[in-house]
Amino acid sequence: MQVLADPKDLGLCPERLERVDGWMRGLVAEGRLAGLSVSVMRRGQLAFARAHGLADMKRGTPFGLDTVTRIYSMTKPLTSVAVMQLYEEGRFQLDDPVARFLPEFSDLRVATGGNRAKLETEPARRPITIRDLLTHTAGLTYGFMEATLVDALYRQQGADYLRVDSTLAEVTRTVAGLPLLAQPGTAWNYSVATDVLGRLVEVISGQDFADHLRARVIRPLGMHDTDFHVRPENQGRFAACYVYDRERRLTQYDDAVETVFARQPAIASGGGGLVSTAADYLRFCRFILNGGALDGVRLLGRKTVDLMTTNHLRGDLAAMGTPRFAETSYDGIGFGLGFSVMLDPARAQILGSPGEVAWGGLASTAFWIDPTEEMAVVLLTQLIPSSALPIRKQLRVMTYAALLD
């Protein structure tokens, strides 16, 4: 973690930032979170970095700034960076059909109705493009949504459960064999699209996806504690994960030691498989704020980052049908190539800046990057689901309220 700067030198109010510390202490004292950390960066310098509570209630391990956590869907932006690196090399265009590289995505059908006994479908009106995958407008879904017949098929076929007896290629073929939820490009649906992108990276690069992401993104950015599993030397810093029981008390969901994250997974999930730390993810945020470079290492061109952080939807998420789940609100928020994009803070009913990019993870982790304010915030905790507490909105208000200039 970087050395802390004086917040006043960065245009931030120290007293207002202290509100964040009190808020963190309260969440732990009231038993709403086992532990958490918050890091606030502005103008490339760390203005605030605190951790409170426990990473592991069973063993009494404190939650620290170096605690390793499951970041789940905060993996997606890193996968998107790997995809866009290949784009910059001329390997594909964003409007290329996915079937050019993954032939199993040819001749797709779209669900139109029916029931469990007989699902009605129609042919897809156009192919899924790589841009559709990056923007979650491909018509794919997640089985955990449990809202449609297509979701049920995903669960039945194990299409979004990256089983130890499968390969990424096999899971991708299973997904491609199921009906789409909507015609490509017509609706925004959070989905396994980024896992399909991981397979796309494998096919285009000729390299295992996990190896490719480590070599091209994670290691060049100096994200030393970030990987698809917890390395043995980091095991003592890994947090347990929690859920609420019926009385809203914290109960363990996944142990810090006896966990699947203690070993290399058979399949590296580009949509949600990474573990990371606050310091590592701040490096990723700095990389985006710097327009694709960090500490003299350039991984993406400035214009590519501009494209990724621009809204690619026809309006906000709310205008793209009726989203059933997102790690953000729907009104006033668009989506770029791997991130949500703030369009209108008034419509979103939250403090922020147009052009701010963000996302979160299943275990209530979150980040946002604001180029206008030259600011980035990383929140790490381990509570499933991310909708259990409104901590992201609360933290967003307090951090933006600390701005002085």
Side-chain angles (χ1 to χ4, degrees):
M1 188 68 74
Q2 289 179 275
V3 176
L4 281 170
D6 186 334
K8 289 185 287 188
D9 293 340
L10 303 177
L12 291 163
C13 174
E15 293 77 20
R16 285 176 172 250
L17 281 178
E18 282 302 315
R19 295 175 181 173
V20 177
D21 189 85
W23 169 79
M24 295 170 70
R25 291 178 184 272
L27 288 169
V28 173
E30 295 163 15
R32 289 187 284 171
L33 290 176
L36 73 162
S37 72
V38 172
S39 304
V40 181
M41 176 179 289
R42 195 170 194 220
R43 297 170 186 159
Q45 298 187 65
L46 196 60
F48 180 95
R50 305 280 175 85
H52 291 294
L54 297 176
D56 185 346
M57 296 171 68
K58 181 192 299 184
R59 298 172 181 86
T61 309
F63 203 111
L65 294 172
D66 63 348
T67 291
V68 180
T69 66
R70 305 154 191 79
I71 61 170
Y72 288 117
S73 286
M74 283 168 57
T75 304
K76 288 179 169 71
L78 277 77
T79 300
S80 300
V81 166
V83 171
M84 296 307 288
Q85 287 175 319
L86 297 173
Y87 169 72
E88 286 191 332
E89 294 171 5
R91 306 288 194 98
F92 63 85
Q93 293 300 304
L94 293 176
D95 58 358
D96 279 349
V98 174
R100 173 186 165 193
F101 304 97
L102 303 176
E104 57 265 40
F105 282 93
S106 303
D107 303 318
L108 296 171
R109 298 193 65 85
V110 181
T112 58
N115 52 46
R116 288 181 179 271
K118 183 175 174 55
L119 185 67
E120 297 174 0
T121 65
E122 67 181 12
R125 298 186 193 116
R126 69 160 175 81
I128 291 174
T129 66
I130 295 172
R131 177 181 171 276
D132 292 331
L133 293 178
L134 286 161
T135 58
H136 291 282
T137 58
L140 305 179
T141 185
Y142 270 124
F144 72 76
M145 302 292 189
E146 299 188 1
T148 71
L149 294 173
V150 177
D151 299 343
L153 285 175
Y154 270 61
R155 294 194 302 276
Q156 180 182 328
Q157 298 294 325
D160 58 351
Y161 298 98
L162 303 185
R163 304 184 307 272
V164 294
D165 59 342
S166 297
T167 66
L168 187 54
E170 289 169 343
V171 171
T172 302
R173 282 194 292 271
T174 299
V175 169
L178 298 173
L180 301 179
L181 196 63
Q183 289 288 344
T186 63
W188 191 91
N189 286 293
Y190 200 39
S191 72
V192 299
T194 316
D195 287 303
V196 176
L197 286 172
R199 175 58 182 159
L200 190 74
V201 167
E202 285 189 335
V203 170
I204 293 175
S205 70
Q207 187 179 24
D208 172 80
F209 171 63
D211 291 342
H212 185 93
L213 194 70
R214 291 185 192 106
R216 295 292 304 274
V217 180
I218 294 172
R219 288 173 187 155
L221 288 179
M223 299 175 72
H224 301 299
D225 294 324
T226 301
D227 210 326
F228 288 100
H229 73 294
V230 183
R231 295 191 293 274
E233 64 270 23
N234 291 342
Q235 188 63 60
R237 291 191 282 127
F238 190 49
C241 194
Y242 298 91
V243 294
Y244 287 138
D245 64 16
R246 291 183 178 180
E247 284 72 43
R248 294 283 289 181
R249 294 173 304 196
L250 291 168
T251 185
Q252 186 171 280
Y253 171 82
D254 185 37
D255 190 62
V257 177
E258 300 298 323
T259 172
V260 295
F261 288 94
R263 57 186 181 273
Q264 281 267 19
I267 299 174
S269 169
L274 288 177
V275 299
S276 191
T277 62
D280 275 13
Y281 216 87
L282 278 174
R283 291 188 64 80
F284 178 74
C285 294
R286 284 175 56 205
F287 156 72
I288 295 297
L289 280 171
N290 291 346
L294 183 64
D295 296 341
V297 177
R298 178 162 292 281
L299 302 186
L300 285 176
R302 176 175 59 83
K303 298 300 288 184
T304 304
V305 175
D306 288 346
L307 184 65
M308 293 180 71
T309 56
T310 298
N311 181 38
H312 284 249
L313 307 183
R314 56 171 193 276
D316 58 14
L317 294 181
M320 295 291 291
T322 305
R324 299 165 300 144
F325 176 84
E327 297 288 357
T328 182
S329 58
Y330 308 141
D331 293 304
I333 307 291
F335 207 84
L337 304 179
F339 311 84
S340 65
V341 181
M342 175 69 79
L343 302 178
D344 186 342
R347 289 195 64 198
Q349 299 185 56
I350 195 70
L351 296 180
S353 304
E356 165 208 295
V357 296
W359 206 241
L362 174 67
S364 302
T365 59
F367 77 95
W368 53 94
I369 303 169
D370 188 330
T372 300
E373 299 294 348
E374 301 176 89
M375 186 164 75
V377 178
V378 174
L379 163 66
L380 295 184
T381 188
Q382 297 285 265
L383 176 67
I384 290 177
S386 56
S387 57
L389 288 175
I391 54 176
R392 296 169 178 173
K393 285 188 173 182
Q394 292 168 348
L395 180 59
R396 180 182 289 269
V397 172
M398 286 184 284
T399 52
Y400 274 114
L403 288 168
L404 292 173
D405 60 11

